[in-house]
Structure formats: C-alpha cells, structure tokens
Amino acid sequence: MGELTGKVAVITGASSRNGIGQAIARRYARAGASIYIMAEGTEEQLRENVRECRELSADRGTRFEYGVHDLAQTGAAEAMIESVAQLFGRIDILVNNAGVRARMKFGEFSRETFNNAVAVNLAAPFFACQAVAPIMR
C-alpha cells in the first residue's frame, strides 16, 4: 500500500506530458492515490496521462479520471469540484497547478488578456479551494 492509498487528488493543469501537473499525477499514482486530472481543451493528452497513471499505480484499486474545464469561466472551478465529489465521493487533495501566462510587454496587455490571467491564476484557485473546503472537512 502506498502512502496515499484511499486518498483522492484533484490536479488542475495536468495536460502537458512533461509538465508539473502530470509529474505530480505520476507521483501520486505511484503513492496509491485515486486521481482526477483536468485542463482546458486537451482531452487526448489528458486521456493519455490517465493511462500512464494507471500503469504506474501502486494500488490496482485506484481510480483515474479526467475532465476538460475552462477555469477562466465563472463557476467552472466550483463545477469541477462538484463533479469530482460526485465521481469519487470525496476529495482529500487539491493541487491548483493550472495557470496561464501572457507573453507581452507591459503596456501591450488588453483588458481581455488581463482578465483571463486573473480568472485562471487567481480566481479559479480561490474558488476551487472555497468549494472543496466543506468536502475536505
């Protein structure tokens, strides 16, 4: 049994094959956690990352799922938490790894680019934490 056996982890921003989110998912799979990974618009890579986690799993009774969520949208973080709670019946770990970066010089940012960055990098983690707190308690 792994150190995370029986735990459910939600990891946002886990679509990149060699990214931080997927590295965390691999480590948690080896430790025996059930995992829900998510990102925006990358279903094929999420499916592949879930397959890899299954292969690495220390506990064959674990469960691995994925979802596509646009955290820039109002209510998306809360909806994600709700769907994971329904799928797994619990959430023990939340990794707010999703983030966006705009590669522009200061003075060139549009209001839309700025609002998107704030929505994904600040608002979504805040509201995901707020939504998951009662579940974790």
Side-chain angles (χ1 to χ4, degrees), residues 59-82:
D59 179 353
R60 296 301 171 205
T62 56
R63 190 169 163 197
F64 302 95
E65 303 286 344
Y66 69 89
V68 176
H69 303 273
D70 181 359
L71 295 179
Q73 300 301 312
T74 300
E78 298 93 319
M80 174 194 64
I81 294 298
E82 178 64 29

Side-chain angles (χ1 to χ4, degrees), residues 8-109:
V8 173
V10 177
I11 305 167
T12 69
S15 63
S16 176
R17 174 78 174 92
N18 294 312
I20 294 169
Q22 183 58 11
I24 294 167
R26 286 191 294 262
R27 173 64 183 97
Y28 285 10
R30 286 187 200 102
S34 289
I35 300 168
Y36 182 90
I37 60 173
M38 65 74 54
E40 177 195 4
T42 52
E43 190 168 354
E44 184 177 327
Q45 189 59 53
L46 286 167
R47 192 174 18 256
E48 176 61 24
N49 289 350
V50 161
R51 184 198 58 73
E52 180 183 4
C53 286
R54 279 191 187 105
E55 290 175 1
L56 294 170
S57 179
D59 179 353
R60 296 301 171 205
T62 56
R63 190 169 163 197
F64 302 95
E65 303 286 344
Y66 69 89
V68 176
H69 303 273
D70 181 359
L71 295 179
Q73 300 301 312
T74 300
E78 298 93 319
M80 174 194 64
I81 294 298
E82 178 64 29
S83 67
V84 175
Q86 289 179 3
L87 276 171
F88 290 91
R90 66 183 293 157
I91 299 173
D92 302 288
I93 302 163
L94 172 61
V95 178
N96 282 309
N97 178 66
V100 296
R101 180 173 65 188
R103 296 176 186 246
M104 300 173 182
K105 294 178 182 174
F106 184 76
E108 295 178 0
F109 281 84

